[in-house]
Amino acid sequence: MMRSATLILTLQTSLYLAACGDSGGRAGTASASDTASASVTLSSAGDTDTSTSQPTTGAAESTTGSATGSTTGSTTDPAKFDLGGGGTTTAPADPGCTKVDFLFVIDNSASMEDNQAALVASFPGFIAAIKATLGASNDYHVMVVDSDGDGRCKQPCNKADVQVAKFCAAADFAACDAQLSACDLTRGAGVVHPVGLYASNTACPIAGGSRYMRSDEPDLQGTFACVATVGTAGDPSERPMNGMTEALSPALTGPGGCNEGFLRDDAILVITFISDDPKYEDEGAPQTWYDAVVAAKQGDNEAIVVTGLIPQPLAGCVGAGMAGDINGAHWDEFIGLWGERGIKGSVCEPDYAPFFAKAVAIIDETCDNFTPPG
């Protein structure tokens, strides 16, 4: 249940969200909420990438769909995290769990610039609400991975490849000249050096040299903004579910792995993924992704919260109606497997604060019920 902590946190946003356009021609309209769930059973998709629409300049990607986006955000109306009550923050009634591992899986394909900006703008209020609500839980890890199945940018930069040349050889950045490590080019590895169009294009200053941030990160908000601005030069075949399961795999979290130390048995795991892809690009199926995440937590499915910002057809947040579009039905099914610990929101919303405010309540309840192993 929610503890007695009361908090009103305001974060000034200057967000805009036109059409949710991306590979395959995404488009959508923002809506306050979508309460209906897709009821489908899905099978694994193949590896073929049917996406063709990619930007060649810094302009927003165009779409061919009939749905159009509307800008409902405002540069003067602040988003709020309102957890009840009215003025001051009071101490929580009980300590709850003491450790939380936050994994953010961010689509870095062509249409995601605005969505990444909305996520970055919502993060300070989200973390502040987590601190105020969980109280004693000041020990958390925060890691960002992307959905790119082909590395941040193909290296070396083959200018004869038209798709590569669009992103890697653009005059406004030198992605192909970045000194990237093997982990930088591994899907599922924590992002520390985003490169490409609209990316931060810098080695982000994560304290301690790991690929994830800790609660004592000197500038947590600034560092998160750096790593979460993963840009839009990723492979057009977006696979956030594969990025998620690989990030939590023994190969990456075990000794010597890129993400060594991120995942802890005595912490709850909170996964947030964000994508506007209307197609089924991920390898595998919802149940296999669920099983992989549960296995990463030693079989304790009640120690996991999954939140997804995805297309919402009933709210008008959809693709352009191209063949093969399922508009997030596979992700909807995956989120549904987590019951009350699965939360979905519309990726087309210009402000993600209400979504994260709901997530804080579920995270709090999960903390209340968590018993560390041993």
Side-chain angles (χ1 to χ4, degrees), residues 69-92:
S70 60
T71 303
T72 58
S74 169
T75 58
T76 57
D77 296 332
K80 293 182 179 180
F81 279 84
D82 188 350
L83 304 184
T88 59
T89 302
T90 59

Side-chain angles (χ1 to χ4, degrees), residues 101-105 141-146 152 182-184 186-192 206 209-214 242-264:
D101 297 333
F102 293 99
L103 174 63
F104 290 85
V105 186
H141 292 172
V142 180
M143 185 168 70
V144 169
V145 302
D146 62 32
R152 305 294 191 280
C183 285
D184 290 327
T186 299
R187 183 176 57 200
V191 174
V192 299
I206 298 178
S210 63
R211 305 190 77 87
Y212 58 89
M213 295 153 276
R214 296 176 175 83
N242 301 140
M244 172 190 69
T245 56
E246 289 161 12
L248 301 172
S249 68
L252 292 187
T253 61
C258 298
N259 301 336
E260 181 179 2
F262 167 73
L263 191 64
R264 298 170 292 180

Side-chain angles (χ1 to χ4, degrees), residues 25 29 39-40 52 56 61 78 80 87 101 107-108 129 161 165 189 252 271 318 344 352 372:
T29 56
S39 177
V40 295
T52 57
T56 57
E61 181 183 12
K80 293 182 179 180
D101 297 333
D107 182 345
N108 66 329
D161 185 324
L252 292 187
I271 299 170
V318 295
K344 66 175 179 177
Y352 296 152

Side-chain angles (χ1 to χ4, degrees), residues 91-224:
D94 54 84
C97 60
T98 60
K99 298 179 182 179
V100 185
D101 297 333
F102 293 99
L103 174 63
F104 290 85
V105 186
I106 305 173
D107 182 345
N108 66 329
S109 63
S111 69
M112 291 294 295
E113 180 191 5
D114 295 343
N115 309 100
Q116 291 169 25
L119 177 63
V120 167
S122 297
F123 180 78
F126 173 58
I127 285 296
I130 287 291
K131 289 180 179 179
T133 305
L134 302 186
S137 180
N138 290 317
D139 185 353
Y140 47 83
H141 292 172
V142 180
M143 185 168 70
V144 169
V145 302
D146 62 32
S147 64
D148 194 354
D150 202 30
R152 305 294 191 280
C153 175
K154 295 177 181 178
Q155 292 187 319
C157 192
N158 177 10
K159 295 182 181 181
D161 185 324
V162 175
Q163 293 299 319
V164 174
K166 285 181 181 179
F167 304 119
C168 298
D172 58 343
F173 66 93
C176 284
D177 295 330
Q179 298 300 308
L180 303 180
S181 69
C183 285
D184 290 327
L185 299 173
T186 299
R187 183 176 57 200
V191 174
V192 299
H193 192 163
V195 296
L197 194 65
Y198 297 125
S200 53
N201 283 307
T202 187
C204 302
I206 298 178
S210 63
R211 305 190 77 87
Y212 58 89
M213 295 153 276
R214 296 176 175 83
S215 46
D216 59 355
E217 183 73 33
D219 180 11
L220 180 63
Q221 296 177 15
T223 305
F224 180 83

